[in-house]
């Protein structure tokens, strides 16, 4: 007959294995890049020690099959992670990490197993191993306190992923219920701590999620404003799109000043007998042409002046006297 504790233990196995499997994407990236990058190695070494000790505890505990299965699977995954990290880590990191793995995951674990089997007996053996496992697990659950402090300080949940916080909350809650059903306080105490810390992380996530979204919107607006061209940039871009200016646009300010004609001023006088001599002696009552001359130069006169000043060579032909007379009349 299936008991409630067994069902809860199965649920705990599934959730815990999902937590243990979460770094698979990280190590797939490490293998693809053949480099560990900025990923830290210490959590994998400590988790390997914790799961190994809990596996040993499950072997000592009567009806501890569910404890053995979940932590045995976790220890196998963590051993793969540690091995891959050692393969792709830089030489200096590899040496330091290798020494710690030998000291903790091999030496310390071997000492615990030897002392428990040779020096302790009965309930004392199970209590000693259970107390050690609980202490290490509480330390692991307390590790996210640093990220929680960062969230409060920066008012951003960027460095506290929601999925990890949620599974920490769920894992601690399920195993806390399991510990109550089987009356195992070595399992219950550390997982109750994990449940409380997981709940606190979710509360922080909900409290600062909207603030992070608002900050992201503000940053997007600032980036858009910085990327938007100024009015001067727009004018330069428009001039660039229009291509090189025409000859008239290439004239200097001084030349434009000489050619700008106002009422009461006249063009430089052409030589006597030149093409503009007949137009200069014409009466102001000669119709439309005289009105234009009273305000500014006629198009033909401007044409001739441009040619005389060398601004129209290559584009204008010399103005003939007949054309001037035809325009004035």
């Amino acid at each position: 007959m299936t008991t409630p504790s067994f069902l809860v233990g199965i649920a705990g196995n599934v959730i815990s294995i999902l937590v243990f499997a979460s770094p698979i994407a990280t190590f797939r990236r490490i293998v693809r890049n053949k480099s560990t990058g900025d990923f830290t190695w210490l959590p994998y070494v400590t988790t390997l020690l914790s799961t190994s000790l809990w596996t040993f505890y499950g072997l000592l505990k009567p009806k501890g099959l569910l404890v053995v299965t979940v932590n045995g699977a976790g220890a196998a995954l963590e051993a793969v992670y540690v091995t891959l990290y050692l393969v792709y880590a830089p030489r200096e990191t590899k040496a330091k990490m290798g020494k710690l793995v030998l000291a903790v995951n091999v030496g310390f674990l071997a000492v615990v197993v030897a002392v428990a089997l040779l020096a302790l007996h009965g309930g004392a053996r199970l209590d000693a191993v259970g107390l050690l496992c609980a202490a290490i697990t509480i330390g692991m659950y307390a590790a996210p306190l640093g990220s929680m402090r960062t969230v409060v300080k920066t008012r951003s949940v960027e460095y506290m992923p929601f999925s990890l916080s949620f599974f920490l909350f769920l894992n601690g809650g399920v195993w806390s219920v399991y510990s109550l059903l089987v009356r195992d306080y070595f399992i219950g105490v550390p997982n109750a701590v994990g449940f409380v810390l997981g709940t606190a992380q979710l509360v922080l996530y909900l409290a600062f999620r909207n603030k992070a979204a608002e900050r992201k919107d503000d940053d997007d607006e600032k980036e858009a404003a910085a990327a938007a061209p100024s009015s001067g940039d727009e004018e330069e871009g428009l001039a660039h799109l229009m291509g090189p200016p025409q000859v008239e646009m290439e004239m200097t300010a001084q030349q434009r000043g000489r050619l700008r004609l106002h009422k009461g001023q006249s063009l430089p006088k052409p030589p006597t007998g030149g093409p503009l001599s007949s137009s200069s002696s014409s009466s102001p009552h000669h119709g439309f042409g005289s009105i234009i001359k009273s305000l500014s130069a006629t198009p033909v006169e401007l044409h001739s002046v441009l040619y005389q000043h060398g601004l129209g060579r290559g584009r204008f032909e010399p103005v003939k006297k007949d054309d001037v007379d035809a325009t004035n009349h």
Side-chain angles (χ1 to χ4, degrees):
M1 183 177 178
T2 303
T3 61
S5 61
F6 183 79
L7 295 176
V8 174
I10 291 294
N13 271 250
V14 173
I15 295 171
S16 296
I17 290 175
L18 289 175
V19 174
F20 291 140
S22 60
I24 288 178
T26 298
F27 280 90
R28 185 183 295 117
R29 178 178 175 183
I30 289 175
V31 173
R32 183 175 63 250
N33 296 335
K34 299 185 184 303
S35 172
T36 56
D38 295 329
F39 295 110
T40 182
W41 51 270
L42 190 58
Y44 307 110
V45 175
T46 55
T47 305
L48 176 58
L49 175 63
S50 175
T51 51
S52 299
L53 287 173
W54 277 112
T55 302
F56 180 54
Y57 176 82
L59 292 173
L60 296 176
K61 177 182 174 62
K63 299 181 180 180
L65 177 62
L66 294 176
V67 178
V68 172
T69 53
V70 65
N71 287 285
L77 286 172
E78 297 299 329
V80 172
Y81 301 153
V82 170
T83 302
L84 289 174
Y85 204 104
L86 283 171
V87 170
Y88 294 105
R91 181 175 300 177
E92 298 79 6
T93 304
K94 191 179 299 185
K96 184 187 299 185
M97 181 180 175
K99 291 177 181 178
L100 188 63
V101 169
L102 289 176
V104 173
N105 298 111
V106 178
F108 181 74
L109 181 62
V111 169
V112 171
V113 172
V115 170
L117 294 179
L118 300 176
L120 301 175
H121 303 280
R125 175 187 297 169
L126 188 64
D127 292 344
V129 176
L131 185 61
L132 181 61
C133 290
I136 293 176
T137 305
I138 290 175
M140 292 181 61
Y141 274 129
L145 288 174
S147 62
M148 295 170 66
R149 183 169 56 251
T150 302
V151 169
V152 174
K153 184 177 180 180
T154 63
R155 305 177 70 83
S156 171
V157 295
E158 179 181 0
Y159 299 104
M160 191 179 69
F162 173 79
S163 58
L164 185 60
S165 302
F166 177 73
F167 279 111
L168 180 65
F169 158 81
L170 205 58
N171 187 67
V174 169
W175 284 108
S176 296
V177 173
Y178 174 82
S179 69
L180 292 175
L181 294 175
V182 299
R183 303 186 181 210
D184 189 328
Y185 300 107
F186 295 120
I187 296 175
V189 171
N191 283 286
V193 172
F195 176 74
V196 171
L197 291 177
T199 304
Q201 289 186 29
L202 291 180
V203 170
L204 285 177
Y205 190 90
L206 294 175
F208 294 105
R209 179 187 59 181
N210 293 333
K211 297 182 182 300
E214 293 174 0
R215 179 177 298 180
K216 184 177 183 301
D217 293 339
D218 293 340
D219 293 341
D220 292 341
E221 291 178 0
K222 290 179 181 179
E223 290 178 0
S230 62
S231 59
D233 296 336
E234 291 177 353
E235 292 175 359
E236 292 178 1
L238 181 59
H240 178 73
L241 291 175
M242 292 175 63
Q246 302 297 328
V247 174
E248 290 82 0
M249 298 298 293
E250 293 175 350
M251 292 188 298
T252 64
Q254 184 176 3
Q255 291 170 331
R256 287 198 300 270
R258 290 203 303 266
L259 294 177
R260 189 179 297 113
L261 302 177
H262 300 282
K263 186 174 181 180
Q265 297 179 349
S266 63
L267 291 168
K269 294 183 178 180
T272 305
L276 296 180
S277 59
S278 61
S279 62
S280 62
S281 61
S282 58
S283 172
H285 303 287
H286 280 63
F288 184 73
S290 299
I291 295 174
I292 294 177
K293 288 174 62 179
S294 66
L295 298 176
S296 64
T298 64
V300 176
E301 289 176 334
L302 182 60
H303 193 139
S304 178
V305 171
L306 288 173
Y307 182 81
Q308 292 174 6
H309 284 268
L311 299 175
R313 290 189 178 93
R315 295 191 59 193
F316 303 100
E317 296 295 334
V319 181
K320 296 180 180 180
K321 185 174 183 302
D322 295 338
D323 295 336
V324 176
D325 294 336
T327 304
N328 289 333
H329 292 286

